[in-house]
Amino acid sequence: MSNNVGKELKEKAKGVNLIEYLFNHHPELIEEVGRDRFVHPDHDSLVIMERGFFRHSSPDCRGDQIQFLMDFLHMSFQDAVRELCAHAGESGMKLEEHQLSRNAKERFFHLPYPTEDIYKRVWAYLTVKRGIPAEIVQELFDAELLYQSEDYGNCVFHYDGAGNYAEIVGTSDIKFRRNAEGCAPGAYWACGNTDSDTAYVCESAIDAISLMALYRKYLGDNPAFVSIGGLKDISIDKIRSKYKNVIIAVDRDESGDYCYSKHNDLPRILPPDIPGKGGEKLKDWNDVIRFCNDDRKIAKSIEILSDMGMPF
């Protein structure tokens, strides 16, 4: 087959309704967060429209339907065009059916099957490559908050205390992370003392358990540690409705700063602003576990330094 796609096919691909396409074929990549407002579940500043997408926090992150498939489904330009054209040939869905497919999303929550073998790939990945203490990994296994998938041996972080939710993380050298299909809007993953009145909000489950490990070592307490699987305002709002004290603990980067700017009435903690032991930039809490050995800086970074609510 020729790798070239002609002008006619490109125009046909650009005529596809991206929102409809995603709800039909990749519902894990789109979430309705308000009336006729659609975002990427892992990046709620990335707005999806019928003809493409854009990201509020990054003016360079935008594109049409074809670019979306290239960026988020890792297709070549030619494959993205052909994929959209194939959908165009089968589209014509009625509005009522389209609406049903949106509303049915949570009902079709899909979890990967757990392996019947010992969770050795997940154990090795988290303890050796990610530096998570072995006792914490075992704690998550015992609490059924973590298991190894039958296919591919991925980490599956599953929590249903705030609606159906799971994060899937690869255990190979190829970076892979996504939310399970059909996660409930605003749902999240949590560990630690989920009945506490205090919750720390992280971008991923691995960051949440890394922060929990650091917190226990340096501060000795046991609040809740929550992953929202990206930067989702709807999840933060849901966490705020449950926990009295919410602390933002997202990454030290531009996207994290933008997320916090929308919730800056809350306190925030950040990884130490120092190079790691090999010169690494400490962007998230797992970086701190793997690359930082300055105990004083670590302890200070996880303390809450805030005068909110003080009368002076």
Side-chain angles (χ1 to χ4, degrees):
M1 177 187 292
S2 171
N3 285 329
N4 295 325
V5 291
K7 182 177 180 181
E8 184 177 344
L9 288 180
K10 294 176 189 176
E11 292 304 315
K12 185 176 182 180
K14 291 182 179 182
V16 167
N17 185 316
L18 181 59
I19 293 171
E20 178 185 291
Y21 168 81
L22 291 174
F23 273 116
N24 275 340
H25 300 286
H26 295 282
E28 75 278 8
L29 296 181
I30 187 168
E31 184 173 277
E32 187 170 13
V33 295
R35 184 175 178 82
D36 295 325
R37 178 178 171 81
F38 305 93
V39 299
H40 190 292
D42 293 344
H43 310 283
D44 67 356
S45 69
L46 193 147
V47 179
I48 299 171
M49 303 169 293
E50 291 184 358
R51 301 291 178 237
F53 67 96
F54 70 94
R55 188 168 184 170
H56 285 302
S57 59
S58 178
D60 295 329
C61 184
R62 60 180 64 241
D64 60 14
Q65 303 94 316
I66 299 170
Q67 192 65 47
F68 187 95
L69 268 62
M70 293 170 65
D71 288 356
F72 299 100
L73 289 170
H74 310 294
M75 294 185 183
S76 67
F77 177 82
Q78 291 82 4
D79 286 344
V81 170
R82 294 189 186 104
E83 168 73 9
L84 290 167
C85 287
H87 171 76
E90 65 188 32
S91 63
M93 179 192 297
K94 294 179 181 178
L95 177 61
E96 305 93 279
E97 293 171 331
H98 183 197
Q99 187 64 43
L100 177 63
S101 71
R102 296 184 199 172
N103 296 338
K105 183 181 174 187
E106 184 175 350
R107 293 202 300 271
F108 295 110
F109 177 64
H110 175 70
L111 273 174
Y113 288 108
T115 181
E116 295 181 358
D117 297 330
I118 297 172
Y119 299 161
K120 58 184 179 181
R121 287 189 61 173
V122 169
W123 177 273
Y125 175 74
L126 293 177
T127 59
V128 177
K129 189 164 186 177
R130 291 291 193 159
I132 306 296
E135 63 271 19
I136 286 183
V137 177
Q138 187 62 54
E139 178 183 326
L140 297 176
F141 287 159
D142 293 342
E144 298 184 349
L145 293 172
L146 169 66
Y147 66 87
Q148 181 174 308
S149 67
E150 182 178 59
D151 293 336
Y152 309 112
N154 293 326
C155 304
V156 181
F157 296 92
H158 175 222
Y159 182 71
D160 59 9
N164 290 329
Y165 183 82
E167 286 176 39
I168 304 168
V169 180
T171 53
S172 70
D173 290 334
I174 301 173
K175 187 175 181 180
F176 174 78
R177 187 187 71 81
R178 69 173 178 84
N179 293 346
E181 293 182 19
C183 290
Y188 52 81
W189 184 86
C191 61
N193 180 11
T194 56
D195 293 325
S196 170
D197 61 0
T198 300
Y200 287 77
V201 179
C202 299
E203 291 187 33
S204 72
I206 288 178
D207 283 344
I209 60 178
S210 298
L211 181 57
M212 180 169 72
L214 293 167
Y215 203 94
R216 288 180 180 179
K217 178 178 180 179
Y218 292 101
L219 299 184
D221 203 356
N222 189 35
F225 298 89
V226 178
S227 166
I228 56 176
L231 295 168
K232 300 194 283 287
D233 294 327
I234 188 174
S235 297
I236 295 176
D237 291 340
K238 192 166 186 176
I239 293 163
R240 295 181 71 157
S241 71
K242 176 177 180 179
Y243 293 95
K244 179 180 178 181
N245 306 308
V246 177
I247 298 93
I248 302 297
V250 297
D251 293 359
R252 179 188 283 279
D253 58 16
E254 184 179 350
S255 295
D257 292 344
Y258 178 72
C259 173
Y260 181 64
S261 72
K262 295 179 284 183
H263 303 277
N264 60 12
D265 59 315
L266 298 174
R268 182 185 185 187
I269 60 171
L270 289 162
D273 189 17
I274 57 174
K277 52 194 176 186
E280 302 89 350
K281 181 179 180 181
L282 305 181
K283 182 176 74 74
D284 58 44
W285 298 106
N286 190 242
D287 286 348
V288 176
I289 277 190
R290 291 188 296 162
F291 305 132
C292 187
N293 53 12
D294 189 324
D295 289 349
R296 186 181 64 84
K297 290 286 187 180
I298 295 173
K300 185 176 181 180
S301 73
I302 59 178
E303 293 176 354
I304 301 173
L305 304 174
S306 172
D307 60 1
M308 290 174 51
M310 298 295 182
F312 48 82

